[in-house]
Amino acid sequence: MIFQFKSQNVKVKSIIKKIKFLILTCSFTFYLFPFAFSGDKPSSSDLIVKAWGAHGKKDAESYKLTLQYTQELIDLYKEEAKIQQASLRVFPRTRNEIQAVQVLNDVACAYFIQGECYRDQKMDEEAVKAFKTVMYEYCFGQAWDPRGWFWKIALASKESVVKLRPKEDLPVLPCPGVEPEEAKKTQASIKPTQIILSDKGSDDFIDYADFGEFQNIGTKEYRYIIKDQAGLAEAVGEGIYPNTSSVRRDPQYKKAREEKRLEGSHWDYVQSPDLEAGFLKWATSSEPQGVKLFYTGFVLEKSGLIKHAIKCYYAILVHYPQSFGWTYWNTPWYVGQAAISKIDYLLSRNPQLGYKLEGADIRIINGYDNDLSNDIFVVNPGKLVKAGLSVKPKKNLPSDASKNIKKKRGKGKVRLVQYKTGDWQMLVEGQPFVIKAITYTPTKVGQSPDEGTMGNWMEEDFNKNLRIDGPYDAFVDKNANNIQDEDEPAVGDFKLMQEMGVNAIRLYHHPHKVNKELLRDLYRNYGIRVIMGDFLGKYALGSGAAWNPGTDYNNQEHKKNMMASAVSMVLEHKDEPYILFWLLGNENVYGYACNADKEPDAFFKFANEVAKAIKTLDPEHPVGICSGDTLFLDRFAKNAPDIDMFGTNAYRGNYGFGRLWQSVKEEADIPAFITEFGCPAYAEGKSEKQAEAEQAEYHRGCWQDIENNMAFSQGAGNAVGGIVFEWLDEWWKAYEPSKHDTKGLFTGPFPDGFMHEEWLGICGQGNGRLSPYLRQLRQAYYTYKKMWQ
């Protein structure tokens, strides 16, 4: 996730204009590949970068340059773009496919930039013409958003035309898949089905020792040799290795083929309501066996066939523990580790099954980078054993805990201690403290950093009653009628968060002005503390670097500026009672507008220097880092020994965070927490109530995983809490800030398989007309209220 800008002062407005250049830069090549030149002819990517750079400044001379660069690009490349457009029948899906039509993407983007340039100058006729050119001539063009997804330029153009001409009846765009509404209709038209297995298998839980031999368990030479293939196939049932052929003999398979329910890609069946077709399609797919088994199990799980799903997941551990797939971002996804988490999750949710997975672990040496060639898998498939209805007992700690501390990090009012059991806790003024935090950045509907209109929530008072709007004037729309009824008085977000059980919010000291008196009241009257952060050069904030190529962690001037930024944060806030701890960065290792992805050692070494400086100035509060999942975790452990806590943004699914806790324990042996996790409250093909229920279940699973890995629990013992993302829906994330967009921005482990960035709040803003005041509390709010109280 990318942070949100909130400020109205002149300096921050200039930063927001630069942000627009970064966020909406259309050339994917610009970010991931070097510029290409052919003689004296500039590349389309080079011209796009120049166009966005000029457009972001928004003055007369810059508008002139914007049109000059975009027109040059169009004149040079439009014919090639037309050829690429004509070659397509569907939207390119993978990065390689999208890169293959980069000229099309850049020409479409050039027209889009022209449209925005004309619009900003109130030249509506010219703007509409440019936007419509994208819509009807280059509609397969896509652009990369550094927040982590590709966006469809034609759809953004259509939204711009609708905004300029709200009464014009626009036809459906000519490229299939542009309109999210079309996909929604298709999904809704599919008849829901359940899976009826013709061969359930003879055994509910498989003892693989009866059918073969395990060799070298717990080593990199692990293997399982099948000695009774027929017996094993009979035991597991259809769709589970090695019983793969029986699916085609299933009468339902023949029927589904005759009904033409198995046409198209198996990936289109992952989230299909036709669960029967999904099972049949995946069980007969040509994917590698590990990936094939995982998604077969996933569809079985959704159908309620939990035992068969567990057999599917466990087959991965036995036969294909080294399996991997690829994420949306072309990073490795280790299927075996995910399968362990799935089994643990399903067994914990279904204690009546009376089983537990014991001893399973897949450790991947060198598995914290994106290079598969150096990975070494150390495998123990574990064993499914009877557990009755009992739960594994928690670890015991003697009553006098202070005598059982073996390690301390910090000596101030907030410190971290490790007990002789190896478990970690945060202590605040001597008492155990679990981080129950949330990202709080309430954004008024219609505001957007892309348009330079984002305000500072810590100062906004739209009703001019001398109180800050969100914190004090928000009200709960109990009957969801988008009206403030007489029995719905202003209560304020601070009070609502307090009642939910929130004890901290996550903030950054820049680029917006911090209202210290507001934060003092947050702590004094509501008991909520602040996790205060510095971006440490991410998005070029604090480093003085240009957006291209961004912060360089080997550049002495950049490092000097970033150190000054962090020091100023500490000096300004260190004596405030609301400070809980300091947080450095925001998933810098993903590399947008900085080079931490290319120079992780340099980044973590510098972060360690900053941590040492902070602790010299303020020994009262520890220092954490906000990384990106476990990418370069081993480099962090090697280079940042003075950082007290490993925090990371992680979106892995409703089962929690898998092996993350154990990995941090092995590599760094320090406390861990999740700096960002969450789930949309919208899911394609599901009702509002269903989607909210799935959001709540996602959060419940994540928090329970955090709890299970806290001190004296069943897991790694190093979890100290987490930060929910986020309090309130932000409508600007998918381009048009006055529209609550439902299009999926990228694929991921969410209820419908897509991330809907504008729906991550555990509170909604209704139809947006009473923003920034109206709050519709979702099921997730009450789920946390129960868990956190």
Side-chain angles (χ1 to χ4, degrees), residues 120-265:
D120 292 347
Q121 297 177 85
K122 309 301 181 185
M123 300 168 68
D124 291 355
E125 290 296 323
E126 291 84 351
V128 169
K129 182 179 178 181
F131 288 134
K132 285 187 174 181
T133 300
V134 180
M135 293 164 57
Y136 300 119
E137 296 185 31
Y138 304 99
C139 55
F140 277 127
Q142 296 181 81
W144 175 251
D145 188 319
R147 287 171 289 187
W149 58 81
F150 290 98
W151 54 280
K152 295 172 180 176
I153 307 170
L155 189 58
S157 298
K158 182 175 181 179
E159 290 174 350
S160 296
V161 173
V162 170
K163 193 172 183 180
L164 290 169
R165 293 186 176 167
K167 295 182 180 180
E168 182 172 342
D169 187 18
L170 293 172
V172 174
L173 300 185
C175 297
V178 180
E179 309 274 6
E181 293 78 11
E182 293 301 308
K184 205 180 303 179
K185 290 175 185 176
T186 302
Q187 191 81 335
S189 67
I190 298 174
K191 182 181 179 181
T193 64
Q194 294 295 310
I195 301 169
I196 301 174
L197 297 172
S198 65
D199 177 11
K200 297 181 180 180
S202 60
D203 297 3
D204 287 338
F205 296 93
I206 311 300
D207 186 346
Y208 278 86
D210 293 340
F211 305 99
E213 179 185 348
F214 290 97
Q215 296 182 351
N216 305 312
I217 289 176
T219 74
K220 61 183 180 181
E221 285 82 27
Y222 164 83
R223 61 186 302 204
Y224 175 73
I225 301 173
I226 300 175
K227 295 189 174 180
D228 180 5
Q229 182 156 326
L232 181 56
E234 180 182 351
V236 296
E238 67 177 305
I240 302 175
Y241 185 85
N243 191 347
T244 54
S245 60
S246 64
V247 175
R248 297 184 188 275
R249 299 192 298 269
D250 188 329
Q252 298 302 117
Y253 179 77
K254 181 179 179 180
K255 180 182 177 184
R257 286 194 65 181
E258 291 173 349
E259 295 171 346
K260 300 187 182 303
R261 289 161 50 212
L262 301 180
E263 297 180 346
S265 169

Side-chain angles (χ1 to χ4, degrees), residues 5 23 33-34 84 106 147 159 170 412 445 478 604 662 667:
F5 284 96
I23 290 177
F33 304 95
Q84 292 183 354
D106 290 338
R147 287 171 289 187
E159 290 174 350
L170 293 172
V445 168
K478 293 183 291 187
F604 287 126
Q662 185 64 26
E667 298 294 334

Side-chain angles (χ1 to χ4, degrees), residues 21-41:
F21 162 50
L22 174 66
I23 290 177
L24 291 179
T25 294
C26 295
S27 176
F28 179 45
T29 305
F30 166 56
Y31 287 102
L32 301 183
F33 304 95
F35 293 147
F37 295 90
S38 176
D40 295 328
K41 179 181 176 181

Side-chain angles (χ1 to χ4, degrees), residues 1 4 147 149 159 443 445-450 679-682 695 725-746 754-766 778:
M1 297 296 156
Q4 283 73 59
R147 287 171 289 187
W149 58 81
E159 290 174 350
T443 304
V445 168
Q447 292 183 349
S448 171
D450 301 340
C679 175
Y682 174 85
Q695 181 196 39
F725 194 89
E726 60 184 326
W727 173 252
L728 190 66
D729 286 349
E730 295 179 280
W731 286 31
W732 62 270
K733 293 287 189 70
Y735 183 69
E736 177 46 63
S738 295
K739 177 184 177 183
H740 205 184
D741 210 306
T742 59
K743 62 173 173 274
L745 297 176
F746 58 88
F754 287 92
M755 168 58 89
H756 301 275
E757 278 265 8
E758 295 194 357
W759 294 79
L760 283 168
I762 60 167
C763 304
Q765 300 200 61
R778 294 183 172 133

Side-chain angles (χ1 to χ4, degrees), residues 639-654:
N639 293 296
D642 293 286
I643 292 179
D644 302 305
M645 297 180 287
F646 181 80
T648 191
N649 296 350
Y651 293 80
R652 295 194 178 189
N654 60 3

Side-chain angles (χ1 to χ4, degrees), residues 266 276 333 386 488 496 581 628:
H266 47 278
E276 181 178 72
W333 166 60
K386 289 185 178 180
E488 296 172 345
L496 291 172
F581 60 86

